Amino acid sequence: MLRTRAELRAALEHAPRPLGLVPTMGALHEGHASLIWRARSENRTVLTTIFVNPRQFNETSDFEKYPRNEAADVRLAGASGADLVWIPGVEDVYPDGFQTAVRVGALTEPLEGAARPGHFEGVTTVVAILLGLAGADHAYFGQKDAQQLLVVRRMARDLGIGTAIVACPIVREPDGLAMSSRNVRLTADERAAAPVLRRALLAARGIYEAGERDGEKLRAAMNAALAAEPLAHPEYVSCADPETLIEHGIFDGPALLSMAVRFGAVRLIDNEPLP
Ligand code: AMP
């Protein structure tokens, strides 16, 4: 396990290439493990980073209550195929006097960006640092955070970062709930209600497959499914262009269905790409 930038640099100096990077905030689950496995299958060295990035939390309580379990994380990362695990402190990621930010434009404005001011600037700043320090050939991100994936891709292209950004599919619980480190914070009743996100996405996908191409109708189908669950408090539902994230009216072509829903103190997101 590596702690400082110097330890990371030393470990990477003679690491066999290609190098795959899997950035995480820890509390690792099978979703993270799937990214590490994928990296294992495509690289000779796999580096996982675990850092709960204070800059990407727009709510202090969410940051403070974010689950942390370093020992279990190191075990799961190793069992999933990571060769190196970097667990920096805040001062290792943001050295003394730090004053740089990376901000992506219009893609960061809707959806998660509108709901969580400052979130994406925190994400792109830390990911730029991680990509710079690791100099990886490939970096692995989950489709679970679909907007994050688009924003990171845009940033890497815009800044000429040589690391290829690889998208990995969403890993779900048997009842359809997307795996998330925040799921452990749900009460038993909230946990039982949470698969409604998946049901809402599938309801909209169902009418899409039957030929519906009005974004308004797909959003209405998701809202209707969510309304059937009293513990679910939707923050947004979206049927948008999967590249620009601009909301669809009548459309022709692919779409990204996505939503953020609160259950008590816990905020969950999920999405479904339509071909
Ligand atoms: P996090 O630790 O939540 O920042 O997530 C680290 C990476 O794991 C991100 O690229 C996420 O999109 C990805 N990830 C989180 N949950 C899942 C999941 N259920 N399936 C696939 N990837 C995931």
Side-chain angles (χ1 to χ4, degrees), residues 23-26 29 31-32 34-35 66 140-145 148 168-172 178-181:
T24 80
M25 297 202 299
H29 50 65
H32 300 112
S34 75
L35 271 55
Y66 199 84
Y140 297 81
F141 290 85
Q143 175 66 31
K144 162 88 188 330
D145 299 278
Q148 167 173 285
C168 302
I170 302 178
V171 177
R172 299 178 179 282
M179 290 195 183
S180 164
S181 304

PDB file of all heavy atoms in Angstrom, residues 23-26 29 31-32 34-35 66 140-145 148 168-172 178-181, ligand 1:
ATOM      1  N   PRO A  23      -9.491   4.616 -10.565  1.00  0.00           N
ATOM      2  CA  PRO A  23      -9.694   5.554  -9.453  1.00  0.00           C
ATOM      3  C   PRO A  23     -10.999   5.263  -8.711  1.00  0.00           C
ATOM      4  O   PRO A  23     -12.035   5.048  -9.353  1.00  0.00           O
ATOM      5  CB  PRO A  23      -9.800   6.936 -10.143  1.00  0.00           C
ATOM      6  CG  PRO A  23      -9.510   6.706 -11.592  1.00  0.00           C
ATOM      7  CD  PRO A  23      -9.757   5.260 -11.857  1.00  0.00           C
ATOM      8  N   THR A  24     -10.953   5.232  -7.382  1.00  0.00           N
ATOM      9  CA  THR A  24     -12.159   5.000  -6.576  1.00  0.00           C
ATOM     10  C   THR A  24     -12.121   5.876  -5.327  1.00  0.00           C
ATOM     11  O   THR A  24     -11.092   6.446  -4.991  1.00  0.00           O
ATOM     12  CB  THR A  24     -12.282   3.543  -6.084  1.00  0.00           C
ATOM     13  OG1 THR A  24     -11.433   3.359  -4.928  1.00  0.00           O
ATOM     14  CG2 THR A  24     -11.891   2.532  -7.151  1.00  0.00           C
ATOM     15  N   MET A  25     -13.276   5.904  -4.645  1.00  0.00           N
ATOM     16  CA  MET A  25     -13.332   6.559  -3.332  1.00  0.00           C
ATOM     17  C   MET A  25     -13.428   5.515  -2.216  1.00  0.00           C
ATOM     18  O   MET A  25     -13.815   5.838  -1.088  1.00  0.00           O
ATOM     19  CB  MET A  25     -14.512   7.521  -3.271  1.00  0.00           C
ATOM     20  CG  MET A  25     -14.369   8.650  -4.293  1.00  0.00           C
ATOM     21  SD  MET A  25     -15.327  10.100  -3.874  1.00  0.00           S
ATOM     22  CE  MET A  25     -16.974   9.427  -3.871  1.00  0.00           C
ATOM     23  N   GLY A  26     -13.107   4.258  -2.528  1.00  0.00           N
ATOM     24  CA  GLY A  26     -13.096   3.231  -1.492  1.00  0.00           C
ATOM     25  C   GLY A  26     -14.483   2.706  -1.190  1.00  0.00           C
ATOM     26  O   GLY A  26     -15.409   2.888  -1.975  1.00  0.00           O
ATOM     27  N   HIS A  29     -16.904  -2.376  -3.685  1.00  0.00           N
ATOM     28  CA  HIS A  29     -17.911  -3.424  -3.863  1.00  0.00           C
ATOM     29  C   HIS A  29     -17.676  -4.076  -5.225  1.00  0.00           C
ATOM     30  O   HIS A  29     -16.686  -3.765  -5.899  1.00  0.00           O
ATOM     31  CB  HIS A  29     -19.316  -2.835  -3.732  1.00  0.00           C
ATOM     32  CG  HIS A  29     -19.538  -1.605  -4.566  1.00  0.00           C
ATOM     33  ND1 HIS A  29     -19.509  -1.621  -5.944  1.00  0.00           N
ATOM     34  CD2 HIS A  29     -19.748  -0.306  -4.219  1.00  0.00           C
ATOM     35  CE1 HIS A  29     -19.733  -0.411  -6.412  1.00  0.00           C
ATOM     36  NE2 HIS A  29     -19.862   0.425  -5.387  1.00  0.00           N
ATOM     37  N   GLY A  31     -18.972  -3.623  -8.037  1.00  0.00           N
ATOM     38  CA  GLY A  31     -18.885  -2.677  -9.154  1.00  0.00           C
ATOM     39  C   GLY A  31     -17.443  -2.243  -9.363  1.00  0.00           C
ATOM     40  O   GLY A  31     -16.910  -2.276 -10.483  1.00  0.00           O
ATOM     41  N   HIS A  32     -16.778  -1.849  -8.263  1.00  0.00           N
ATOM     42  CA  HIS A  32     -15.359  -1.485  -8.352  1.00  0.00           C
ATOM     43  C   HIS A  32     -14.535  -2.693  -8.806  1.00  0.00           C
ATOM     44  O   HIS A  32     -13.627  -2.559  -9.626  1.00  0.00           O
ATOM     45  CB  HIS A  32     -14.832  -1.027  -6.990  1.00  0.00           C
ATOM     46  CG  HIS A  32     -15.526   0.177  -6.414  1.00  0.00           C
ATOM     47  ND1 HIS A  32     -16.319   0.100  -5.297  1.00  0.00           N
ATOM     48  CD2 HIS A  32     -15.528   1.473  -6.796  1.00  0.00           C
ATOM     49  CE1 HIS A  32     -16.779   1.312  -5.007  1.00  0.00           C
ATOM     50  NE2 HIS A  32     -16.320   2.166  -5.908  1.00  0.00           N
ATOM     51  N   SER A  34     -15.317  -5.072 -10.672  1.00  0.00           N
ATOM     52  CA  SER A  34     -15.451  -5.342 -12.114  1.00  0.00           C
ATOM     53  C   SER A  34     -14.518  -4.437 -12.921  1.00  0.00           C
ATOM     54  O   SER A  34     -13.982  -4.850 -13.958  1.00  0.00           O
ATOM     55  CB  SER A  34     -16.908  -5.170 -12.569  1.00  0.00           C
ATOM     56  OG  SER A  34     -17.253  -3.792 -12.640  1.00  0.00           O
ATOM     57  N   LEU A  35     -14.312  -3.210 -12.452  1.00  0.00           N
ATOM     58  CA  LEU A  35     -13.370  -2.300 -13.137  1.00  0.00           C
ATOM     59  C   LEU A  35     -11.931  -2.824 -12.984  1.00  0.00           C
ATOM     60  O   LEU A  35     -11.142  -2.786 -13.939  1.00  0.00           O
ATOM     61  CB  LEU A  35     -13.443  -0.891 -12.530  1.00  0.00           C
ATOM     62  CG  LEU A  35     -14.454   0.111 -13.104  1.00  0.00           C
ATOM     63  CD1 LEU A  35     -15.873  -0.398 -13.101  1.00  0.00           C
ATOM     64  CD2 LEU A  35     -14.360   1.457 -12.379  1.00  0.00           C
ATOM     65  N   TYR A  66     -19.491   9.448   4.394  1.00  0.00           N
ATOM     66  CA  TYR A  66     -19.112   8.535   3.314  1.00  0.00           C
ATOM     67  C   TYR A  66     -18.394   7.330   3.928  1.00  0.00           C
ATOM     68  O   TYR A  66     -17.469   7.484   4.725  1.00  0.00           O
ATOM     69  CB  TYR A  66     -18.214   9.233   2.292  1.00  0.00           C
ATOM     70  CG  TYR A  66     -18.203   8.493   0.978  1.00  0.00           C
ATOM     71  CD1 TYR A  66     -19.196   8.699   0.034  1.00  0.00           C
ATOM     72  CD2 TYR A  66     -17.219   7.550   0.707  1.00  0.00           C
ATOM     73  CE1 TYR A  66     -19.213   7.992  -1.151  1.00  0.00           C
ATOM     74  CE2 TYR A  66     -17.233   6.836  -0.476  1.00  0.00           C
ATOM     75  CZ  TYR A  66     -18.237   7.064  -1.404  1.00  0.00           C
ATOM     76  OH  TYR A  66     -18.251   6.350  -2.575  1.00  0.00           O
ATOM     77  N   TYR A 140     -10.090   3.350 -16.044  1.00  0.00           N
ATOM     78  CA  TYR A 140     -11.375   2.648 -16.084  1.00  0.00           C
ATOM     79  C   TYR A 140     -12.407   3.387 -15.247  1.00  0.00           C
ATOM     80  O   TYR A 140     -12.164   3.672 -14.068  1.00  0.00           O
ATOM     81  CB  TYR A 140     -11.190   1.205 -15.593  1.00  0.00           C
ATOM     82  CG  TYR A 140     -10.261   0.454 -16.532  1.00  0.00           C
ATOM     83  CD1 TYR A 140      -8.877   0.597 -16.433  1.00  0.00           C
ATOM     84  CD2 TYR A 140     -10.782  -0.304 -17.575  1.00  0.00           C
ATOM     85  CE1 TYR A 140      -8.020  -0.035 -17.331  1.00  0.00           C
ATOM     86  CE2 TYR A 140      -9.932  -0.938 -18.479  1.00  0.00           C
ATOM     87  CZ  TYR A 140      -8.560  -0.798 -18.353  1.00  0.00           C
ATOM     88  OH  TYR A 140      -7.726  -1.412 -19.261  1.00  0.00           O
ATOM     89  N   PHE A 141     -13.570   3.664 -15.861  1.00  0.00           N
ATOM     90  CA  PHE A 141     -14.647   4.378 -15.181  1.00  0.00           C
ATOM     91  C   PHE A 141     -15.955   3.639 -15.420  1.00  0.00           C
ATOM     92  O   PHE A 141     -16.156   3.033 -16.472  1.00  0.00           O
ATOM     93  CB  PHE A 141     -14.762   5.814 -15.716  1.00  0.00           C
ATOM     94  CG  PHE A 141     -13.596   6.688 -15.319  1.00  0.00           C
ATOM     95  CD1 PHE A 141     -12.432   6.692 -16.069  1.00  0.00           C
ATOM     96  CD2 PHE A 141     -13.652   7.469 -14.172  1.00  0.00           C
ATOM     97  CE1 PHE A 141     -11.341   7.473 -15.695  1.00  0.00           C
ATOM     98  CE2 PHE A 141     -12.571   8.259 -13.792  1.00  0.00           C
ATOM     99  CZ  PHE A 141     -11.408   8.260 -14.548  1.00  0.00           C
ATOM    100  N   GLY A 142     -16.872   3.705 -14.419  1.00  0.00           N
ATOM    101  CA  GLY A 142     -18.146   2.990 -14.525  1.00  0.00           C
ATOM    102  C   GLY A 142     -19.205   3.811 -15.241  1.00  0.00           C
ATOM    103  O   GLY A 142     -19.316   5.022 -15.028  1.00  0.00           O
ATOM    104  N   GLN A 143     -20.009   3.119 -16.043  1.00  0.00           N
ATOM    105  CA  GLN A 143     -21.181   3.722 -16.686  1.00  0.00           C
ATOM    106  C   GLN A 143     -22.200   4.173 -15.625  1.00  0.00           C
ATOM    107  O   GLN A 143     -23.054   5.002 -15.884  1.00  0.00           O
ATOM    108  CB  GLN A 143     -21.791   2.698 -17.645  1.00  0.00           C
ATOM    109  CG  GLN A 143     -23.094   3.080 -18.329  1.00  0.00           C
ATOM    110  CD  GLN A 143     -22.924   4.243 -19.289  1.00  0.00           C
ATOM    111  OE1 GLN A 143     -21.874   4.418 -19.879  1.00  0.00           O
ATOM    112  NE2 GLN A 143     -23.979   5.057 -19.422  1.00  0.00           N
ATOM    113  N   LYS A 144     -22.077   3.616 -14.417  1.00  0.00           N
ATOM    114  CA  LYS A 144     -22.941   4.030 -13.294  1.00  0.00           C
ATOM    115  C   LYS A 144     -22.966   5.547 -13.171  1.00  0.00           C
ATOM    116  O   LYS A 144     -24.011   6.149 -12.939  1.00  0.00           O
ATOM    117  CB  LYS A 144     -22.401   3.394 -12.013  1.00  0.00           C
ATOM    118  CG  LYS A 144     -22.868   4.023 -10.714  1.00  0.00           C
ATOM    119  CD  LYS A 144     -24.142   3.397 -10.266  1.00  0.00           C
ATOM    120  CE  LYS A 144     -24.786   4.085  -9.077  1.00  0.00           C
ATOM    121  NZ  LYS A 144     -23.917   4.740  -8.145  1.00  0.00           N
ATOM    122  N   ASP A 145     -21.795   6.186 -13.308  1.00  0.00           N
ATOM    123  CA  ASP A 145     -21.696   7.643 -13.250  1.00  0.00           C
ATOM    124  C   ASP A 145     -21.541   8.146 -14.691  1.00  0.00           C
ATOM    125  O   ASP A 145     -20.463   8.549 -15.118  1.00  0.00           O
ATOM    126  CB  ASP A 145     -20.507   8.049 -12.379  1.00  0.00           C
ATOM    127  CG  ASP A 145     -20.667   7.556 -10.952  1.00  0.00           C
ATOM    128  OD1 ASP A 145     -21.359   8.223 -10.185  1.00  0.00           O
ATOM    129  OD2 ASP A 145     -20.144   6.469 -10.622  1.00  0.00           O
ATOM    130  N   GLN A 148     -20.268  11.688 -15.392  1.00  0.00           N
ATOM    131  CA  GLN A 148     -18.844  11.758 -15.008  1.00  0.00           C
ATOM    132  C   GLN A 148     -17.960  11.187 -16.119  1.00  0.00           C
ATOM    133  O   GLN A 148     -16.916  11.755 -16.471  1.00  0.00           O
ATOM    134  CB  GLN A 148     -18.634  10.986 -13.708  1.00  0.00           C
ATOM    135  CG  GLN A 148     -17.174  10.722 -13.356  1.00  0.00           C
ATOM    136  CD  GLN A 148     -17.050  10.108 -11.975  1.00  0.00           C
ATOM    137  OE1 GLN A 148     -17.208  10.792 -10.979  1.00  0.00           O
ATOM    138  NE2 GLN A 148     -16.779   8.817 -11.906  1.00  0.00           N
ATOM    139  N   CYS A 168     -17.016   0.995 -18.325  1.00  0.00           N
ATOM    140  CA  CYS A 168     -17.383  -0.355 -17.862  1.00  0.00           C
ATOM    141  C   CYS A 168     -18.858  -0.382 -17.454  1.00  0.00           C
ATOM    142  O   CYS A 168     -19.348   0.570 -16.844  1.00  0.00           O
ATOM    143  CB  CYS A 168     -16.538  -0.742 -16.658  1.00  0.00           C
ATOM    144  SG  CYS A 168     -14.777  -0.708 -16.998  1.00  0.00           S
ATOM    145  N   PRO A 169     -19.575  -1.496 -17.765  1.00  0.00           N
ATOM    146  CA  PRO A 169     -21.018  -1.553 -17.500  1.00  0.00           C
ATOM    147  C   PRO A 169     -21.372  -1.517 -16.005  1.00  0.00           C
ATOM    148  O   PRO A 169     -20.546  -1.836 -15.149  1.00  0.00           O
ATOM    149  CB  PRO A 169     -21.440  -2.899 -18.111  1.00  0.00           C
ATOM    150  CG  PRO A 169     -20.197  -3.667 -18.346  1.00  0.00           C
ATOM    151  CD  PRO A 169     -19.064  -2.701 -18.430  1.00  0.00           C
ATOM    152  N   ILE A 170     -22.628  -1.155 -15.730  1.00  0.00           N
ATOM    153  CA  ILE A 170     -23.114  -1.051 -14.342  1.00  0.00           C
ATOM    154  C   ILE A 170     -23.286  -2.452 -13.749  1.00  0.00           C
ATOM    155  O   ILE A 170     -23.906  -3.312 -14.373  1.00  0.00           O
ATOM    156  CB  ILE A 170     -24.472  -0.312 -14.288  1.00  0.00           C
ATOM    157  CG1 ILE A 170     -24.351   1.090 -14.897  1.00  0.00           C
ATOM    158  CG2 ILE A 170     -25.004  -0.260 -12.861  1.00  0.00           C
ATOM    159  CD1 ILE A 170     -25.674   1.874 -14.918  1.00  0.00           C
ATOM    160  N   VAL A 171     -22.765  -2.671 -12.551  1.00  0.00           N
ATOM    161  CA  VAL A 171     -22.979  -3.928 -11.826  1.00  0.00           C
ATOM    162  C   VAL A 171     -24.118  -3.707 -10.833  1.00  0.00           C
ATOM    163  O   VAL A 171     -24.131  -2.706 -10.107  1.00  0.00           O
ATOM    164  CB  VAL A 171     -21.697  -4.373 -11.088  1.00  0.00           C
ATOM    165  CG1 VAL A 171     -21.948  -5.646 -10.285  1.00  0.00           C
ATOM    166  CG2 VAL A 171     -20.565  -4.581 -12.083  1.00  0.00           C
ATOM    167  N   ARG A 172     -25.085  -4.636 -10.825  1.00  0.00           N
ATOM    168  CA  ARG A 172     -26.294  -4.479 -10.017  1.00  0.00           C
ATOM    169  C   ARG A 172     -26.457  -5.601  -8.995  1.00  0.00           C
ATOM    170  O   ARG A 172     -25.948  -6.699  -9.190  1.00  0.00           O
ATOM    171  CB  ARG A 172     -27.532  -4.469 -10.933  1.00  0.00           C
ATOM    172  CG  ARG A 172     -27.521  -3.333 -11.923  1.00  0.00           C
ATOM    173  CD  ARG A 172     -28.732  -3.349 -12.864  1.00  0.00           C
ATOM    174  NE  ARG A 172     -28.628  -2.207 -13.764  1.00  0.00           N
ATOM    175  CZ  ARG A 172     -28.943  -0.962 -13.417  1.00  0.00           C
ATOM    176  NH1 ARG A 172     -29.454  -0.734 -12.214  1.00  0.00           N
ATOM    177  NH2 ARG A 172     -28.775   0.041 -14.250  1.00  0.00           N
ATOM    178  N   ALA A 178     -28.462  -0.649  -8.526  1.00  0.00           N
ATOM    179  CA  ALA A 178     -27.060  -0.478  -8.920  1.00  0.00           C
ATOM    180  C   ALA A 178     -26.191  -0.463  -7.666  1.00  0.00           C
ATOM    181  O   ALA A 178     -26.531   0.207  -6.676  1.00  0.00           O
ATOM    182  CB  ALA A 178     -26.901   0.829  -9.684  1.00  0.00           C
ATOM    183  N   MET A 179     -25.092  -1.210  -7.688  1.00  0.00           N
ATOM    184  CA  MET A 179     -24.207  -1.210  -6.518  1.00  0.00           C
ATOM    185  C   MET A 179     -23.632   0.179  -6.319  1.00  0.00           C
ATOM    186  O   MET A 179     -23.277   0.869  -7.270  1.00  0.00           O
ATOM    187  CB  MET A 179     -23.107  -2.220  -6.698  1.00  0.00           C
ATOM    188  CG  MET A 179     -23.651  -3.626  -6.618  1.00  0.00           C
ATOM    189  SD  MET A 179     -22.346  -4.810  -6.411  1.00  0.00           S
ATOM    190  CE  MET A 179     -23.337  -6.299  -6.437  1.00  0.00           C
ATOM    191  N   SER A 180     -23.565   0.589  -5.050  1.00  0.00           N
ATOM    192  CA  SER A 180     -23.028   1.900  -4.694  1.00  0.00           C
ATOM    193  C   SER A 180     -22.523   1.841  -3.261  1.00  0.00           C
ATOM    194  O   SER A 180     -23.114   1.162  -2.416  1.00  0.00           O
ATOM    195  CB  SER A 180     -24.124   2.963  -4.793  1.00  0.00           C
ATOM    196  OG  SER A 180     -23.729   4.137  -4.115  1.00  0.00           O
ATOM    197  N   SER A 181     -21.444   2.564  -3.007  1.00  0.00           N
ATOM    198  CA  SER A 181     -20.931   2.630  -1.640  1.00  0.00           C
ATOM    199  C   SER A 181     -21.965   3.228  -0.696  1.00  0.00           C
ATOM    200  O   SER A 181     -21.951   2.960   0.500  1.00  0.00           O
ATOM    201  CB  SER A 181     -19.654   3.476  -1.604  1.00  0.00           C
ATOM    202  OG  SER A 181     -18.702   2.951  -2.503  1.00  0.00           O
TER     203      SER A 181
HETATM  204  P1  AMP B   1     -16.674   5.721  -6.594  1.00  0.00           P
HETATM  205  O1  AMP B   1     -15.848   4.971  -5.619  1.00  0.00           O
HETATM  206  O2  AMP B   1     -18.140   5.734  -6.283  1.00  0.00           O
HETATM  207  O3  AMP B   1     -16.118   7.082  -6.946  1.00  0.00           O
HETATM  208  O4  AMP B   1     -16.590   4.889  -7.947  1.00  0.00           O
HETATM  209  C1  AMP B   1     -15.346   4.602  -8.543  1.00  0.00           C
HETATM  210  C2  AMP B   1     -15.591   4.064  -9.926  1.00  0.00           C
HETATM  211  O5  AMP B   1     -16.381   2.887  -9.842  1.00  0.00           O
HETATM  212  C3  AMP B   1     -16.376   5.050 -10.801  1.00  0.00           C
HETATM  213  O6  AMP B   1     -15.829   5.031 -12.113  1.00  0.00           O
HETATM  214  C4  AMP B   1     -17.765   4.484 -10.759  1.00  0.00           C
HETATM  215  O7  AMP B   1     -18.533   4.806 -11.908  1.00  0.00           O
HETATM  216  C5  AMP B   1     -17.497   3.004 -10.685  1.00  0.00           C
HETATM  217  N1  AMP B   1     -18.654   2.312 -10.128  1.00  0.00           N
HETATM  218  C6  AMP B   1     -19.300   2.592  -8.963  1.00  0.00           C
HETATM  219  N2  AMP B   1     -20.363   1.778  -8.804  1.00  0.00           N
HETATM  220  C7  AMP B   1     -20.404   0.977  -9.898  1.00  0.00           C
HETATM  221  C8  AMP B   1     -21.280  -0.062 -10.332  1.00  0.00           C
HETATM  222  N3  AMP B   1     -22.323  -0.447  -9.622  1.00  0.00           N
HETATM  223  N4  AMP B   1     -20.999  -0.666 -11.509  1.00  0.00           N
HETATM  224  C9  AMP B   1     -19.938  -0.276 -12.263  1.00  0.00           C
HETATM  225  N5  AMP B   1     -19.078   0.693 -11.907  1.00  0.00           N
HETATM  226  C10 AMP B   1     -19.304   1.311 -10.745  1.00  0.00           C
END
